[in-house]
């Protein structure tokens, strides 16, 4: 199961105004665009914004911005998406972020948030340089209790496993660890342990070396 494939099973994307919040390099913005959505990609990291502007199709509007202060007008979006980005928003800023999601959505709007669980072979390796156990746990707790927020109703929750190919430990380092300065610094102290953990965790599946990241997708409608 992949993020956009699942999202398409819940709502047709053709012609929708969709914002991808915490878009990173825009992997999913690109897929939303390919599915016919009118996409705005919002990212807080200026370097990622520049890369996304260079690499993504011109039909995607890439903007520097934060979940808690979206550079979008009132009611301008049909769908707000966050793929693995909610737990990166500081906990103190999350209430403001949900205010923003509601502000930019129209009355028939949808909010789609996918969060990784703090377990799985991918997590087992990455936690050695960045342990997200607490922030991921808090995100799932928040999303599981959104009925306390009168503005959003849970329409669908689906758990699935994201499987990604990492042909070697060196490839994993280049993609996941070294581009992030904080992770790269921590890596120096755990290098042998990390290589060992990777080699134990990686699975040979259908001719590919893969790691698995279980996650849950929460799909909300706007109620108030
Ligand atoms: C794990 S990455 C996910 C990127 C992308 N959604 C994906 O799945 O490939 C989380 C992203 O959220 C961004 N981010 C962190 N805090 C943010 C905030 N307050 N508002 C918007 N984006 C934020 C980070 O810079 C990072 O690019």
């Amino acid at each position: 199961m992949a993020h956009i494939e699942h999202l398409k099973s819940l709502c047709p994307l053709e012609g929708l105004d969709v914002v991808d919040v915490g878009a990173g390099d825009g992997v999913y913005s690109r897929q939303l665009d390919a599915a016919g959505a009118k996409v705005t990609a919002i990212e807080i990291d200026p370097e990622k914004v520049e890369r996304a502007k260079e690499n993504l199709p011109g039909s995607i509007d890439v903007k520097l911005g934060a979940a808690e202060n979206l550079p979008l007008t009132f009611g301008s979006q049909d769908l707000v998406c966050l793929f693995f980005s909610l737990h990166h928003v500081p906990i103190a800023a999350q209430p403001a972020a949900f205010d923003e999601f509601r502000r930019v959505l129209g009355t028939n709007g949808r909010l789609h948030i996918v969060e990784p669980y703090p377990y799985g072979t991918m997590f087992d390796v990455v936690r050695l340089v960045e342990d997200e156990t607490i922030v991921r746990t808090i995100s799932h707790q928040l999303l599981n209790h959104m009925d306390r927020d009168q503005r959003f109703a849970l329409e669908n929750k689906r758990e699935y496993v994201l499987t990604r190919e990492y042909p070697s430990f060196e490839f994993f380092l280049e993609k996941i660890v070294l581009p992030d300065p904080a992770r790269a610094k921590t890596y120096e102290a755990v290098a042998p342990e990390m290589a060992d953990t990777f080699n134990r965790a990686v699975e040979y599946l259908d001719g590919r070396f893969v790691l698995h990241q279980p996650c849950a997708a929460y799909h909300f409608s706007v109620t108030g």
Side-chain angles (χ1 to χ4, degrees), residues 21-24 28 43-45 48 65-68 83-85 88-90:
V21 180
Y28 299 110
E43 171 53 48
I44 202 167
D45 179 337
K48 290 183 183 173
E68 58 272 32
F83 301 103
F84 285 23
S85 57
H88 288 270
V89 177

Side-chain angles (χ1 to χ4, degrees), residues 15 35 37 46 54 60 71 110 123 142 162 167 172 186 191 212 218-220:
E54 272 171 34
I60 301 175
R110 296 280 171 139
F123 176 79
L142 175 71
L162 214 60
F172 176 86
T186 310
H212 302 290
Y218 302 80
H219 190 78
F220 301 96

Side-chain angles (χ1 to χ4, degrees), residues 2-8 13 18 20 26-37 39 56-57 60 83 162 164:
H3 294 327
I4 306 301
E5 184 191 342
H6 170 56
L7 177 56
K8 280 201 286 196
L13 298 171
V18 179
D20 180 11
V27 178
Y28 299 110
S29 300
R30 187 189 287 277
Q31 293 181 24
L32 291 163
D33 175 74
V39 182
L56 293 178
I60 301 175
F83 301 103
L162 214 60
R164 288 198 177 130

Side-chain angles (χ1 to χ4, degrees), residues 106-213:
T107 44
N108 295 318
R110 296 280 171 139
L111 172 62
H112 188 82
I113 302 183
V114 189
E115 278 290 288
Y117 282 116
Y119 53 80
T121 50
M122 180 73 180
F123 176 79
D124 290 341
V125 186
V126 176
R127 76 194 296 241
L128 296 171
V129 287
E130 185 175 10
D131 190 346
E132 294 185 337
T133 303
I134 292 173
V135 286
R136 291 186 184 192
T137 301
I138 288 173
S139 284
H140 285 285
Q141 283 172 347
L142 175 71
L143 293 166
N144 278 316
H145 294 97
M146 283 292 280
D147 52 337
R148 293 176 188 155
D149 187 322
Q150 304 290 309
R151 301 167 300 176
F152 300 102
L154 183 66
E155 298 291 336
N156 185 278
K157 177 181 174 184
R158 171 95 188 253
E159 296 178 323
Y160 53 88
V161 178
L162 214 60
T163 298
R164 288 198 177 130
E165 184 174 6
Y166 297 101
S168 66
F169 181 58
E170 289 67 33
F171 182 90
F172 176 86
L173 277 182
E174 291 293 333
K175 286 277 171 201
I176 305 295
V177 179
L178 300 180
D180 181 315
R183 287 182 178 181
K185 192 165 185 332
T186 310
Y187 171 67
E188 290 167 22
V190 298
E193 187 187 352
M194 196 170 200
D196 184 53
T197 306
F198 176 87
N199 289 324
R200 287 167 192 267
V202 77
E203 183 183 351
Y204 188 63
L205 189 67
D206 299 330
R208 304 181 310 150
F209 289 98
V210 298
L211 293 174
H212 302 290
Q213 181 53 66

